[in-house]
């Protein structure tokens, strides 16, 4: 039965979710996973080693559109809340994003000859980032409105993370292969953009249609953007969790950007980019249900800490392994990183709705869109700055850019820099996030110990 919406009264509890509704919602993460993976994995390499853009300029091109996106996400969050009050749904922004994002994505890798590639790719990336915000912000807000209680929302997140992992796996594993099948160079990347964009469009539109009847449940009073920031400022568990997640996203993004460079310049084969990516993301699909069960038994935060420490340890172990054990050892350790990566996606996203609901109890305002807007802005910042940070490592180590048909020889400093950028830098960021997770643990227990801290 469809729930009727009235801004003057709260809606009744959401009905139990069957597998069809869970899958319908989760399919959207196939599309968001593609957009999270492909630009971070291939766009920097596309600019430096296909278009011949310098590492410093390429880094700026990657960061600038995402910096705009960081500003846009809270605005979209507030707009999503206003739409929820006015219509009882969040469908319009979801539809806009699902239609615009695949087109802008394909355009990023289809640079016309008469326009400077750096200008075209940067502009298309700006449009794609804006379209992504329109979809992602209301999409992340939906779980808090689809179900009541920690267990059911964790179940939603489990389905979502499996589909997210599938999207990342398909994109990161197949995109470099499609580039090769398309002939490499500009032509190969253009073919990849169209093919992957089509898959993205199907996933985003499927989720939009599947969730069009999900009734939003904002409180009777809605805060504007400025007031939402003021309210969020008092939610200390939220900001501790957000800070940890952003730092970890930055580490993952740095490693993602470095993968093709390690494959080409340390392992000697660009085709290993796909294999490294599959070995990292593939195990995470299997690890999600294991982390879910472990979180129920031992608690989400203890499992979160173990996953962060494990990621850092495996990344540091790659430094000697890449040269001494070669491809086999590198793939084995990237698989271990993938197991930890699954928890870094599942657990903070499972904890996020609890901070939103706890804040609603504290303030009397249900601000799912505003809080998830801030969350997505932070995640976007981390994923944006990651490739830019890796580009700075390349520039500082004297990496030489060159076009696809005339690749440049690299000095020893560049080979060392890209190795440390791929391993030691992500590990350091993960370790830096550990005190933030511990701070969240302490603050969350004070707010809602049984629901956030204790095992389910």
């Amino acid at each position: 039965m469809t729930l009727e919406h009235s801004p003057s009264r709260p809606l009744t509890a959401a009905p139990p979710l069957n597998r069809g509704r869970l899958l319908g919602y989760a399919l959207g993460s196939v599309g968001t996973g593609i957009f999270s993976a492909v630009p971070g994995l291939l766009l920097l390499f596309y600019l430096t080693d296909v278009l011949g853009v310098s590492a410093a300029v390429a880094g700026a091109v990657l960061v600038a559109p995402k910096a705009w996106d960081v500003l846009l996400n809270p605005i979209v969050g507030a707009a999503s809340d206003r739409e929820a009050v006015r219509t009882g749904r969040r469908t319009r922004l979801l539809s806009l994003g699902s239609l615009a994002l695949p087109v802008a994505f394909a355009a990023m890798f289809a640079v016309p000859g008469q326009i400077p590639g750096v200008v075209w790719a940067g502009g298309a990336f700006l449009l794609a980032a804006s379209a992504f915000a329109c979809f992602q912000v209301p999409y992340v807000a939906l779980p808090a409105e689809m179900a009541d209680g920690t267990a059911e929302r964790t179940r939603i997140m489990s389905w979502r993370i499996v589909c997210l992992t599938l999207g990342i796996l398909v994109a990161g594993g197949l995109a470099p292969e499609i580039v090769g099948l398309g002939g490499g160079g500009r032509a190969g990347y253009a073919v990849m953009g169209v093919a992957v964009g089509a898959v993205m469009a199907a996933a985003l539109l499927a989720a939009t249609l599947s969730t069009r009847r999900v009734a939003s449940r904002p409180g009777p009073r809605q805060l504007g953007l400025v007031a939402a920031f003021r309210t969020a400022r008092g939610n200390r568990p939220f900001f501790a969790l957000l800070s940890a997640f952003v730092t970890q996203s930055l580490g993952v993004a740095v490693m993602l950007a470095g993968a093709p460079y390690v494959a080409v310049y340390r392992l000697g084969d660009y085709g290993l980019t796909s294999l490294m990516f599959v070995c990292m993301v593939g195990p995470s699909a299997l690890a999600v249900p294991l982390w879910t069960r472990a979180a129920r038994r031992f608690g989400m935060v203890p499992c979160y800490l173990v996953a962060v420490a494990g990621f850092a340890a495996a990344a540091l172990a790659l430094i000697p392994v890449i040269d001494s054990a070669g491809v086999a050892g590198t793939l084995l350790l990237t698989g271990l990183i993938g197991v930890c990566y699954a928890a870094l996606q599942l657990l903070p996203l499972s904890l996020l709705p609890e901070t939103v609901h706890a804040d609603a109890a504290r303030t009397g305002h249900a601000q799912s869109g505003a809080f998830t807007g801030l969350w997505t802005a932070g995640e976007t910042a981390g994923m944006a700055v990651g490739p830019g940070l890796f580009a700075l490592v390349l520039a500082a180590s004297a990496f030489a850019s060159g076009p696809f048909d005339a690749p440049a020889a690299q000095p020893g400093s560049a080979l060392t820099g890209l190795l440390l950028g791929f391993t030691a830098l992500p590990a350091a960021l993960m370790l830096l996030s550990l005190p933030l997770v511990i701070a969240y643990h302490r603050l969350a227990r004070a707010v809602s110990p049984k629901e956030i801290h204790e095992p389910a």
Side-chain angles (χ1 to χ4, degrees):
M1 181 176 66
T2 302
L3 295 173
E4 297 296 332
H5 171 75
S6 172
S8 62
R9 60 180 174 83
L11 294 175
T12 57
L17 299 175
N18 57 37
R19 291 183 178 181
R21 294 187 67 192
L22 289 168
L23 178 61
Y25 170 76
L27 280 174
S29 288
V30 174
T32 62
I34 290 173
F35 186 72
S36 297
V38 175
L41 179 67
L42 297 181
L43 189 53
L44 179 62
F45 190 84
Y46 173 68
L47 291 172
T48 61
D49 285 54
V50 176
L51 302 183
V53 179
S54 71
V57 173
V61 168
L62 290 176
V63 172
K66 289 291 190 174
W68 155 248
D69 204 23
V70 170
L71 299 176
L72 180 63
N73 272 284
I75 297 174
V76 173
S80 179
D81 277 344
R82 288 195 297 271
E83 180 189 350
V85 171
R86 187 173 62 254
T87 69
R89 303 287 185 271
R90 300 182 187 269
T91 308
R92 293 179 184 177
L93 284 171
L94 287 167
S95 300
L96 175 61
S98 63
L99 292 172
L101 178 55
V103 176
F105 174 86
M108 284 164 43
F109 298 102
V111 177
Q114 67 273 20
I115 298 178
V118 67
V119 175
W120 177 275
F125 193 29
L126 176 64
L127 294 176
S130 301
F132 180 73
C134 290
F135 181 89
Q136 177 77 342
V137 172
Y139 180 74
V140 174
L142 287 174
E145 300 173 339
M146 292 172 66
D148 299 297
T150 304
E152 188 70 2
R153 286 191 292 269
T154 301
R155 185 167 165 245
I156 295 172
M157 285 300 111
S158 297
W159 279 72
R160 180 191 166 193
I161 296 304
V162 168
C163 285
L164 177 68
T165 303
L166 177 62
I168 293 173
L169 182 61
V170 169
L174 292 183
E177 294 299 319
I178 296 173
V179 171
L181 292 174
R186 291 194 180 200
Y189 275 89
V191 170
M192 180 276 296
V194 173
V196 174
V199 176
M200 181 190 301
L204 298 180
L205 288 171
T208 300
L209 293 173
S210 297
T211 60
R212 69 190 186 278
R213 297 190 183 279
V214 173
S216 66
R217 295 183 288 167
R221 296 176 56 205
Q222 291 299 304
L223 302 178
L225 182 60
V226 174
F229 271 106
R230 189 180 301 116
T231 298
R233 195 166 55 229
N235 191 338
R236 297 176 65 194
F238 170 79
F239 278 104
L241 183 64
L242 175 63
S243 299
F245 184 69
V246 169
T247 305
Q248 293 152 15
S249 297
L250 178 58
V252 171
V254 169
M255 180 169 277
L256 198 64
Y261 293 92
V262 169
V264 170
Y265 296 107
R266 300 297 302 214
L267 299 175
D269 184 1
Y270 176 78
L272 290 174
T273 303
S274 294
L275 196 53
M276 289 170 63
F277 196 89
V278 169
C279 285
M280 176 179 174
V281 179
S284 67
L286 301 175
V288 165
L290 299 179
W291 282 114
T292 300
R293 286 196 289 270
R296 288 173 180 167
R297 180 174 180 180
F298 302 108
M300 282 191 271
V301 174
C303 290
Y304 194 6
L305 291 169
V306 168
V308 174
F311 191 111
L316 288 173
L318 276 171
I319 297 175
V321 164
I322 286 176
D323 288 332
S324 63
V327 174
T330 300
L331 296 181
L332 179 63
L333 279 176
T334 52
L336 178 58
I337 288 172
V339 173
C340 298
Y341 172 73
L344 300 189
Q345 293 294 300
L346 171 67
L347 298 177
L349 286 173
S350 297
L351 292 166
L352 173 60
E354 310 311 328
T355 67
V356 175
H357 280 262
D359 189 79
R362 180 180 67 87
T363 65
H365 300 287
Q367 292 295 300
S368 297
F371 274 99
T372 54
L374 295 174
W375 180 273
T376 308
E379 180 182 14
T380 300
M383 297 303 291
V385 174
L389 188 56
F390 189 83
L392 286 178
V393 172
L394 294 180
S397 59
F399 179 86
S401 299
F404 177 73
D405 52 1
Q410 301 301 331
S413 60
L415 297 177
T416 300
L418 65 89
L419 174 63
L420 295 179
F422 178 71
T423 56
L425 183 54
L429 290 166
M430 291 295 163
L431 294 175
L432 185 63
S433 75
L434 282 173
L436 298 171
V437 177
I438 294 171
Y440 166 79
H441 177 68
R442 175 176 53 83
L443 293 168
R445 289 185 67 186
V447 173
S448 182
K450 290 189 178 298
E451 195 162 316
I452 295 178
H453 167 67
E454 299 297 336

